[in-house]
Amino acid sequence: MLRLRCAALSMTNNEKPKTNNEMQAPNPDFMREAIRLSIEKMQAGFGGPFGAVVVKDGQIIARGFNQVTTTHDPTCHAEVDAIRKACQALGTFQLDGCDLYTSCEPCPMCLGAIYWARPARVFYGNTKTDAAAVGFDDHFIYDEIDKPLSERSIPMQQLLPDEAIAGFQAWEAQESRTKY
C-alpha cells in the first residue's frame, strides 16, 4: 500500500497509477487465443479472419470474432464483439484494468470503440498494412476523416440543430446522469 502511495505521489499530473495488467508483461497465450479464434471462426464460415479476447486479472473474460457477414451487421468486428461481451460480463460500460488482445491492428471503428471502453492496453498481431494486403483496406476511412464534410464520399449535412439541442439540454439538466 505504501509503495502505491509513493508511486502516486511521484507521478506528474498527466500520469495515472498503473493497474495490475499494466505492470505485467503481455501474455503470448492470450494472443494465440485471439489468433486461434480468427482462424477457427473464419474457417467455420462466420466472417473474416479476426479474433479478440479481453483479459482481466490474468483470465479471459470474453472472446470475440468477426461476424459481419453472418449477422448482416457491419459493426460486428472481433474487437467490438469482445468488448460487448466483456462489458456484459463485468456489468459496466468500461473495461478498466482489462487488456484487449486482437489478431489484427484495430480498424477506425474498433479503435473508437476501444477508446470508449478504456481498456488498460491493447496488443495486436497483424498490422493494418497486413490486412490491406489481403483485401481489408481501411485506409479510405482514415482519408475520409481528414476531409471537410463537404468533400466526403457520403454526403453529411446538419439538419434541425435548434431542435436537436433539446436532447443535450435535457441531458445537462438531468442530475442522475452517468458521465462517461
Side-chain angles (χ1 to χ4, degrees), residues 3 43 55 60 64 71 96 105 130 140 152-153 157 160 162 165 168 175:
R3 195 168 124 208
Q43 288 177 338
V55 175
I60 294 176
T71 62
D96 296 329
E105 183 177 359
D130 297 330
F140 75 96
R152 291 187 179 168
S153 62
Q157 179 181 348
L160 300 177
D162 295 337
I165 198 70
F168 286 163
E175 290 184 25

Side-chain angles (χ1 to χ4, degrees), residues 89-170:
L90 295 173
T92 182
F93 57 87
Q94 293 184 341
L95 298 178
D96 296 329
C98 294
D99 286 336
L100 174 68
Y101 290 78
T102 179
S103 63
C104 187
E105 183 177 359
C107 75
M109 177 187 70
C110 293
L111 190 59
I114 289 165
Y115 274 95
W116 282 115
R118 295 178 180 97
R121 303 181 300 180
V122 176
F123 302 99
Y124 62 90
N126 296 309
T127 67
K128 62 185 176 184
T129 304
D130 297 330
V134 296
F136 296 98
D137 191 355
D138 298 324
H139 192 73
F140 75 96
I141 297 173
Y142 291 103
D143 290 344
E144 286 287 303
I145 290 169
D146 288 337
K147 291 180 183 178
L149 292 175
S150 62
E151 295 177 22
R152 291 187 179 168
S153 62
I154 297 175
M156 297 189 184
Q157 179 181 348
Q158 188 176 24
L159 184 62
L160 300 177
D162 295 337
E163 294 178 35
I165 198 70
F168 286 163
Q169 291 167 338

Side-chain angles (χ1 to χ4, degrees), residues 37 41 46 52-54 60-67 76-92 95:
L37 282 168
K41 298 302 183 178
F46 282 97
V53 297
V54 175
I60 294 176
I61 61 166
R63 289 171 170 79
F65 51 94
N66 184 288
Q67 300 169 67
C76 201
H77 289 200
E79 297 91 336
V80 172
D81 187 38
I83 288 168
R84 288 174 180 161
K85 290 172 179 172
C87 288
Q88 289 272 318
L90 295 173
T92 182
L95 298 178

